Amino acid sequence: MTKRAVVTGAAGFIGSHLVDMLLERGYFVIGIDNLRTGSMQNLAHALKHETFQFLERDVCEKKFPAAVKEDVDVIFHLAAISSVKLSVEDPILVNDTNVHGTINALEMARKHNAKRFVYSSSAAVYGNPNTLPVTEEAPLIPLSPYAASKISAEKYSIAYGDLYGIPSTIFRYFNVFGPRQENSEYSGVISIFINRGLRNKDITIDGDGRQTRSFIYVDDVVRATLLGSQLESASNQVLNISGEDATSILDLARMVKERIPESTSSIIHRDAREGDVKDSIGSMRRTSNVLRFSPAVPFTTGLDWTISWYREYSL
Ligand code: UD1
């Protein structure tokens, strides 16, 4: 029987890739987005499918849980404000969207008898861990309102699971990159650096650039997310989704410049960002045991593909 999936944040970067994969695998997909940062362009493929329905709704609306009329098998909750920087500037907006929005998505799951709630959390929940690669048992130490909102939403997902019998799978994504990532001052560093490089604008590093991230390509992330929703072994689990190597932001800037040889951008520095994590790389041991998954796209390959995509679509 065809499975019905809801994807919140469907017009966003990761959400739209997940929608495409679900449709390819034969799901009926209800995509929901308020189009604040998401774009209908990201859903161009999806909109060609008869098994795709789009609802322009905001997860914060009071009536959000009733936006869907029929029962669903699974809810993938990706709608969120994903920016640490914006959370430092406007913590209330971020709490409303990320915490209240998650409760509304959980209410939708309860009302429509979802058999699984998949929550896209973040590596930001670990703050600056004592040991790296960080495992899922590490203490949760929020360094920003964004991280606090993600921890809170994780806890609500777990509470709903226990109280109302909705099994959850919580993914702690590390730094996801790839085509369709928004280009704004609040988006991910790879998209910012590539777009600045292509437009001959200076590439600006926050602080000394020695902070590191483990970048993971979006196709790998959605493959793991889908697997997590399907496997019984992933029920009520918290799983890291991390790239395998740590790259410093300074090295990243150099790698981007190298790949855009015609660019006249310089690499410059400004003050470090408030609430920034220093080093971030996740242990994938539990994820590979539970999902039998490991990332397939090497970082430099993903970077090449992403630059080609921006060259084609964003200039
Ligand atoms: C990112 C994601 C967040 C996710 C987390 C998981 C975004 C916007 N943020 O947060 O949703 O939960 O990973 O680990 O996708 N930087 C610069 N110059 C710039 C932009 C950024 O030096 O122009 C630096 C930042 O100060 C930071 C690093 O690059 O040290 C990464 O920044 P960013 O891409 O915003 O990601 P995170 O804060 O790690």
Side-chain angles (χ1 to χ4, degrees), residues 87-161:
S87 84
V88 174
E89 291 166 13
D90 194 345
I92 292 177
L93 173 71
V94 170
N95 182 75
D96 285 348
T97 309
N98 293 6
V99 182
H100 185 79
T102 300
I103 301 171
N104 266 346
L106 285 161
E107 278 296 304
M108 180 182 273
R110 182 156 85 101
K111 197 173 163 65
H112 294 296
N113 302 306
K115 296 176 208 58
R116 188 71 67 88
F117 186 81
V118 181
Y119 177 59
S120 294
S121 185
S122 164
V125 300
Y126 298 121
N128 286 320
N130 288 332
T131 36
L132 291 170
V134 63
T135 65
E136 292 85 349
E137 293 90 23
L140 305 183
I141 305 172
L143 300 180
S144 63
Y146 170 73
S149 76
K150 287 289 179 178
I151 294 171
S152 174
E154 281 193 8
K155 300 295 183 196
Y156 271 105
S157 307
I158 293 167
Y160 264 68

Side-chain angles (χ1 to χ4, degrees), residues 82-84 122-124 146 173-175 181 186-189 192-193 204-206 211 213 249 270 273 276-277 280:
S82 61
S83 165
V84 172
S122 164
Y146 170 73
Y173 296 158
F174 284 64
N175 289 62
Q181 190 163 28
Y186 298 111
S187 68
V189 64
I192 293 176
F193 283 3
T204 315
I205 293 185
D206 301 334
Q211 67 270 39
R213 294 294 186 271
I249 298 303
R270 64 185 168 201
R273 187 205 266 172
D276 199 32
V277 165
S280 178

Side-chain angles (χ1 to χ4, degrees), residues 215-229:
F215 295 102
I216 179 156
Y217 193 67
V218 65
D219 286 359
D220 280 326
V221 173
V222 298
R223 200 160 53 81
T225 304
L226 180 54
L227 265 178
S229 75

Side-chain angles (χ1 to χ4, degrees), residues 30-306:
I30 304 165
I32 310 181
D33 205 293
N34 67 355
L35 301 178
R36 196 188 73 87
T37 54
S39 120
M40 289 309 284
Q41 251 175 341
N42 290 342
L43 292 172
H45 296 288
L47 288 163
K48 293 185 192 136
H49 284 255
E50 278 178 8
T51 52
F52 179 66
Q53 186 190 348
F54 178 72
L55 303 174
E56 186 176 340
R57 301 291 292 264
D58 191 309
V59 281
C60 296
E61 282 170 39
K62 196 155 185 247
K63 293 194 175 146
F64 179 81
V68 166
K69 302 295 168 222
E70 54 290 283
D71 278 2
V72 297
D73 293 290
V74 52
I75 296 186
F76 296 91
H77 180 47
L78 288 95
I81 292 179
S82 61
S83 165
V84 172
K85 180 174 154 72
L86 183 54
S87 84
V88 174
E89 291 166 13
D90 194 345
I92 292 177
L93 173 71
V94 170
N95 182 75
D96 285 348
T97 309
N98 293 6
V99 182
H100 185 79
T102 300
I103 301 171
N104 266 346
L106 285 161
E107 278 296 304
M108 180 182 273
R110 182 156 85 101
K111 197 173 163 65
H112 294 296
N113 302 306
K115 296 176 208 58
R116 188 71 67 88
F117 186 81
V118 181
Y119 177 59
S120 294
S121 185
S122 164
V125 300
Y126 298 121
N128 286 320
N130 288 332
T131 36
L132 291 170
V134 63
T135 65
E136 292 85 349
E137 293 90 23
L140 305 183
I141 305 172
L143 300 180
S144 63
Y146 170 73
S149 76
K150 287 289 179 178
I151 294 171
S152 174
E154 281 193 8
K155 300 295 183 196
Y156 271 105
S157 307
I158 293 167
Y160 264 68
D162 291 344
L163 260 177
Y164 305 117
I166 310 163
S168 66
T169 304
I170 294 171
F171 285 108
R172 292 184 180 149
Y173 296 158
F174 284 64
N175 289 62
V176 186
F177 75 105
R180 301 186 192 159
Q181 190 163 28
E182 198 211 347
N183 171 32
S184 87
E185 59 176 320
Y186 298 111
S187 68
V189 64
I190 292 192
S191 139
I192 293 176
F193 283 3
I194 295 174
N195 280 288
R196 293 190 75 85
L198 291 174
R199 291 178 171 77
N200 299 313
K201 292 185 179 159
D202 289 346
I203 293 176
T204 315
I205 293 185
D206 301 334
D208 61 13
R210 288 198 297 192
Q211 67 270 39
T212 58
R213 294 294 186 271
S214 53
F215 295 102
I216 179 156
Y217 193 67
V218 65
D219 286 359
D220 280 326
V221 173
V222 298
R223 200 160 53 81
T225 304
L226 180 54
L227 265 178
S229 75
Q230 293 169 330
L231 295 176
E232 201 36 53
S233 56
S235 174
N236 299 319
Q237 290 274 0
V238 177
L239 300 170
N240 284 341
I241 302 289
S242 172
E244 284 166 327
D245 312 298
T247 305
S248 77
I249 298 303
L250 189 55
D251 283 345
L252 173 70
R254 292 180 180 139
M255 290 167 86
V256 168
K257 261 215 75 166
E258 226 174 75
R259 286 168 167 73
I260 310 178
E262 74 281 14
S263 175
T264 57
S265 307
S266 303
I267 297 176
I268 59 169
H269 291 256
R270 64 185 168 201
D271 288 347
R273 187 205 266 172
E274 276 182 281
D276 199 32
V277 165
K278 172 81 179 81
D279 296 304
S280 178
I281 182 161
S283 161
M284 286 290 280
R285 182 179 290 193
R286 184 190 285 180
T287 306
S288 75
N289 285 339
V290 171
L291 302 183
R292 302 270 156 237
F293 164 90
S294 57
V297 181
F299 176 55
T300 48
T301 308
L303 191 61
D304 291 340
W305 290 348
T306 306

